[in-house]
Structures are given as structure tokens and as C-alpha cells.
């Protein structure tokens, strides 16, 4: 999970200017989706849980259905988030390997002389 303080510190220090555009784009999308999940989906579940109506026995069937739908939505969002994590990791690996290869190839021109 990307941590907010690390993300904000990285933005403020300007370190992102050193990142490849595709890496930064992928990480940003992952962080934004993660933030939306923690800022919207999870609080809705908590609101339902702490609602007085959710603890009324005469409303238990409705409460269970609402919880089911909210948890299913959370599950779907987490699957998307997992795919974003994987995409970000793969982009970082690909770009880092590519940049390393370019760097090594550029050094070879001096070694081979």
C-alpha cells in the first residue's frame, strides 16, 4: 500500500522530476485509486456499520443485503487496485531495466574503444 506521507513527501521534494513519465503516471493512478478507495468505499461501509438502523433487528435483512453489496464493491475495487499495483511494479521493472540497458550500452562505447 502506498503511504500518504511518503507520497506527499516525494511530491514536495521534487524527486518525481527524476522519474520516467510512464512510471510516474502508473504510480499516480495507483495512488489516486487507492486514495479513492480509502476515502470513499471504506467510510461508507463504516457508516453503515455504525448506523443505528443497521442494528435494528426488524431491519436485519436489509442491513445484511447492504453490507453484502458494499463488501462486494470493496472486493471489486481491491481487485482493480491489485491490477494497478502489478502494472506499476511491471512498469518500474521494465523502465528500470530499459534505462539500465541504455546506460550500460552507452558505457560500452567507451570501453570498446
Amino acid at each position: 500500500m502506498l503511504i500518504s506521507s511518503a507520497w506527499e513527501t516525494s511530491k514536495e521534494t521534487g524527486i518525481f522530476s527524476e522519474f520516467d513519465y510512464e512510471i510516474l503516471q502508473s504510480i499516480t493512478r495507483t495512488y489516486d485509486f487507492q486514495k479513492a478507495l480509502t476515502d470513499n468505499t471504506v467510510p461508507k461501509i463504516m457508516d453503515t456499520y455504525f448506523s443505528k438502523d443497521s442494528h435494528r433487528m426488524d431491519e436485519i435483512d436489509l442491513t445484511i443485503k447492504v453490507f453484502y453489496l458494499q463488501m462486494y464493491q470493496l472486493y471489486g475495487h481491491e481487485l482493480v487496485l491489485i491490477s494497478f499495483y502489478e502494472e506499476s511494479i511491471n512498469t518500474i521493472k521494465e523502465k528500470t531495466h530499459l534505462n539500465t540497458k541504455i546506460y550500460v550500452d552507452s558505457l560500452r562505447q567507451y570501453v570498446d574503444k
Side-chain angles (χ1 to χ4, degrees):
M1 180 174 229
L2 296 171
I3 300 172
S4 179
S5 59
W7 182 255
E8 296 304 321
T9 301
S10 298
K11 286 195 315 190
E12 289 179 22
T13 61
I15 192 68
F16 286 149
S17 65
E18 303 296 322
F19 280 61
D20 176 87
Y21 178 76
E22 288 181 47
I23 291 174
L24 188 57
Q25 185 178 26
S26 181
I27 292 172
T28 300
R29 181 172 66 165
T30 302
Y31 178 78
D32 288 347
F33 192 83
Q34 175 183 287
K35 184 166 176 24
L37 183 68
T38 57
D39 288 354
N40 298 316
T41 305
V42 174
K44 285 180 185 177
I45 294 170
M46 298 301 290
D47 288 346
T48 300
Y49 180 77
F50 289 111
S51 166
K52 288 181 183 180
D53 290 337
S54 68
H55 296 282
R56 290 180 36 202
M57 290 310 290
D58 59 330
E59 295 289 329
I60 195 71
D61 289 341
L62 177 60
T63 300
I64 290 171
K65 288 176 184 174
V66 169
F67 272 129
Y68 173 80
L69 292 173
Q70 289 176 327
M71 295 307 274
Y72 194 73
Q73 180 183 32
L74 178 63
Y75 172 72
H77 287 168
E78 288 182 343
L79 289 177
V80 172
L81 187 56
I82 289 168
S83 73
F84 284 174
Y85 286 143
E86 290 171 345
E87 179 186 309
S88 292
I89 290 167
N90 289 335
T91 301
I92 290 167
K93 284 180 180 177
E94 176 186 302
K95 292 296 182 177
T96 303
H97 173 73
L98 179 63
N99 290 339
T100 302
K101 184 177 179 342
I102 291 169
Y103 180 71
V104 168
D105 288 346
S106 69
L107 288 177
R108 279 198 180 122
Q109 69 180 335
Y110 298 107
V111 173
D112 292 340
K113 287 185 177 180

